Every structure is written in C-alpha cells, then in structure tokens.
Amino acid sequence: LATGNAKAMNNVAEGCARLAVQLRDSTRVRAILSAMAMPTLQRARSALDAMVSSSGMDNSGVAASQMEAASQVLSSCLGVLREIIRFCDEPPKGSGDVHILSDVLTAAWPLLNDISSQQCCRANDAVLSSLLEVQSQLLGVVPALIAPYFKELISFVVRAYEETFCPS
C-alpha cells in the first residue's frame, strides 16, 4: 500500500478489503481494516504536513515541487482509504452494533477534518476531489457513523464550493 503507484495501491486496498469483509468475525475484520488503514493514514498525515509547510514558503520552484509531490501522496492515500471504505457496507456480523469501519473512522476523521480545514488542500484539485470521494463513500456506506460529523462535513463542502466555484 506504499508503492507510490496510486492504481496499484487502490487495487491492493480493494482486494484486501474485499477479502477481509468475507470473514465471519467482525472483531478480526475491524483489526484487519485498521491494520490496513493506519500506515496509509500516517503517510497522509506526513503529506498533509508537507503541504502545509510548503504553502507557507515563498513561491519558489522548490516549494512548488514539494507541494506537488505531497499533494500526489495525499491524494493517493485518500484513494486507498476510499477503497477500504467502499467494500464495508455490510451490517456488523456478531459483534453487537459495532460497525467494522468504526475503528478506521475514529482514526481517520481527525485527519480528514484537518485536510478539509487547510486552504492549500481545498485549492488542490486532486486532493479536494479525493477528499470529497472519501466523504461520499462514508456517507453512502456508514451514514450512522458519519452522522456526528455531518455539521463539519456540510461546512467543509460549502466552504470548498465557495472557494472553488464562487470566489469573491
């Protein structure tokens, strides 16, 4: 999941997620999905930090190349997260009401919120598109889990729309 090749990363994430959700033990599935997501979330956090620090630099070629590299990594990581979420739409099996994505969402939401709060991320087409795709998957797959974050999500979408399509 860290090849740097977005298509390969998405394919591996898809295959692993499809396989994991076939297990009968939802506790094990949650653990597998978390093990898949955590390194990707860490890479995404590092890429976000690099984007933020590059956005504060002057408009040199170095800053632009750092921003481009970091945005590609962040977009790829969000693609992996989207693929993990995509195949987890089945209700929990045998572990009460705990959804198999609950641990992944708990770990991912602070990062997703941080990405959405950064203007440099909202201004980057690839990152914005990837972030919206992840949030769309979450709304489609686990609306009950995303409900507590709905206000933040709506605020982000409105802000991104205003900045992207309705600049002052």
Side-chain angles (χ1 to χ4, degrees), residues 36-119:
M36 288 171 50
M38 291 312 149
T40 299
L41 294 174
Q42 291 168 348
R43 285 187 69 225
R45 173 62 69 186
S46 295
L48 173 61
D49 293 345
M51 283 185 73
V52 170
S53 68
S54 295
S55 70
M57 300 172 115
D58 59 358
N59 289 334
S60 69
V62 173
S65 66
Q66 287 175 347
M67 177 69 84
E68 179 61 26
S71 68
Q72 287 178 357
V73 170
L74 183 54
S75 181
S76 294
C77 290
L78 289 170
V80 168
L81 185 59
R82 181 195 66 235
E83 291 302 311
I84 291 171
I85 295 164
R86 188 171 140 204
F87 298 100
C88 298
D89 56 351
E90 296 207 9
K93 301 178 210 169
S95 184
D97 293 328
V98 179
H99 194 279
I100 57 176
L101 280 175
S102 61
D103 297 340
V104 171
L105 182 59
T106 299
W109 189 259
L111 174 66
L112 296 174
N113 196 39
D114 290 348
I115 294 168
S116 69
S117 71
Q118 293 298 324
Q119 199 280 328

